[in-house]
Amino acid sequence: MKTQKHDAIVLSSQSEKDTQKAFLETFREAPLPDDEIIANLGMFLTSKTLSRVLFFYELYKKIVNTHGVVMEFGVRWGQSLALLSALRGIFEPFNRHRKIIGFDTFEGFKGMADEDGARCKCVDGSFSVSEDYEQYLERLLGLQDALNPISHLKKFELVKGDGCETVPAYLKAHPETVISLAIFDFDIYKPTKAALEAIKPHLMKGSILVFDELCDDIFPGETVAVREVLGLNNLRVERMPMTARISYAVLD
Ligand SMILES: C[S@@+](CC[C@H](N)C(=O)[O-])C[C@H]1O[C@@H](n2cnc3c(N)ncnc32)[C@H](O)[C@@H]1O
């Protein structure tokens, strides 16, 4: 199966693409017995995929002593949400207040604007997922949580719909929300700006904002939104050595 409606620029060279194809085939042909596949998933990490896991590991350590929820804006298949959920299980399995909330249309981009430029070659609907995918992800995250303590208390939420509407609506319905970690990965201007504006009153000193596309020329809309809502000169934007694109700022 190949990703549908996703024409975004791929920066890999042809030889990298060929190797990635061979890697996928080797993964699919893995002669491991069923009861050993999950325990051996690390075999199929590459330096690139492992780097993101390491980033979230380092990031999670920074929030353990802060209070509040984790929000991800742009979930797609849910890998980051699942990683964060596993990290919560490791570092603070009894912290029922550390809810992890993911926002996505689960139907791809919505609200492409002039601020997003033309380089990404995306349209509304790019980066869509399979039909009813959120139901699969809900089941997966539920099973993952069931392997941790106090699993009878649900600690994650998937919010489906246009982030321009769902983020303000969620926060209106949950005025108690304090945000420890907010991860911006909508990629595009309009929902990023709407989410930033909505979460601003729920941030505190020490909240961490993560940006997947800051300073990215293929998806300029995220930077424009951050500049307009927060002002870049109000943020100390840092990065970690293992990842190139992803950056973060601790509010002070
Ligand atoms: C790059 S993907 C997110 C990847 C994910 N964070 C991860 O780590 O795997 C961008 C996501 O933003 C979502 N998105 C874009 N515009 C949106 C909007 N207006 N409202 C909600 N979700 C939106 C898309 O559906 C897509 O799943």
Side-chain angles (χ1 to χ4, degrees):
M1 188 173 76
K2 203 168 178 306
T3 307
Q4 303 289 313
K5 290 192 198 167
H6 168 199
D7 314 313
I9 289 182
V10 175
L11 297 176
S12 308
S13 68
Q14 190 53 49
S15 96
E16 281 171 327
K17 285 183 198 162
D18 293 344
T19 310
Q20 281 156 4
K21 191 162 172 262
F23 197 82
L24 174 66
E25 279 159 15
T26 309
F27 165 69
R28 287 201 186 289
E29 290 161 6
L32 275 74
D34 282 357
D35 59 342
E36 296 201 43
I37 291 177
I38 294 202
N40 287 288
L41 276 183
M43 286 168 60
F44 305 105
L45 287 169
T46 62
S47 53
K48 187 172 175 210
T49 51
L50 177 61
S51 70
R52 208 165 164 94
V53 178
L54 294 176
F55 177 89
F56 279 107
Y57 165 70
E58 292 297 337
L59 188 73
Y60 206 98
K61 286 195 290 182
K62 290 182 189 293
I63 67 159
V64 168
N65 292 323
T66 70
H67 200 53
V69 304
V70 174
M71 287 186 163
E72 186 180 42
F73 303 107
V75 170
R76 202 153 192 246
W77 303 112
Q79 178 179 229
S80 306
L81 277 193
L83 283 177
L84 289 160
S85 182
L87 288 163
R88 181 186 48 206
I90 293 168
F91 285 113
E92 41 182 7
F94 295 100
N95 185 358
R96 72 176 180 87
H97 287 94
R98 187 79 76 202
K99 277 180 74 177
I100 299 175
I101 306 140
F103 296 86
D104 207 298
T105 58
F106 295 104
E107 292 173 357
F109 285 2
K110 184 156 173 50
M112 285 289 291
D114 291 347
E115 287 81 352
D116 298 306
R119 268 206 87 195
C120 76
K121 296 192 188 159
C122 287
V123 293
D124 277 7
S126 294
F127 288 88
S128 60
V129 286
S130 327
E131 211 180 327
D132 297 329
Y133 180 73
E134 67 283 0
Q135 291 169 23
Y136 170 82
L137 185 57
E138 179 91 24
R139 186 154 52 92
L140 178 75
L141 293 174
L143 288 169
Q144 192 191 25
D145 221 17
L147 296 169
N148 290 325
I150 60 164
S151 58
H152 60 291
L153 301 177
K154 193 175 175 218
K155 295 180 289 306
F156 71 89
E157 200 163 335
L158 299 177
V159 185
K160 180 173 170 145
D162 183 351
C164 295
E165 289 153 23
T166 55
V167 182
Y170 179 91
L171 290 167
K172 194 164 179 222
H174 296 276
E176 76 285 2
T177 305
V178 165
I179 301 171
S180 170
L181 175 64
I183 300 162
F184 285 89
D185 203 5
F186 279 147
D187 293 355
I188 58 173
Y189 172 74
K190 274 190 186 163
T192 305
K193 183 166 179 177
L196 278 165
E197 282 170 340
I199 68 165
K200 228 174 152 183
H202 298 264
L203 297 171
M204 55 194 172
K205 287 184 180 169
S207 295
I208 300 184
L209 306 181
V210 171
F211 304 108
D212 209 48
E213 268 79 29
L214 205 65
C215 197
D216 190 278
D217 56 339
I218 299 171
F219 289 107
E222 184 176 291
T223 312
V224 178
V226 173
R227 221 177 54 215
E228 289 179 0
V229 181
L230 301 177
L232 283 175
N233 47 14
N234 292 317
L235 300 174
R236 182 189 303 275
V237 180
E238 298 179 66
R239 56 180 294 275
M240 294 188 199
M242 70 291 259
T243 50
R245 200 180 57 204
I246 190 162
S247 60
Y248 70 98
V250 182
L251 298 188
D252 54 24

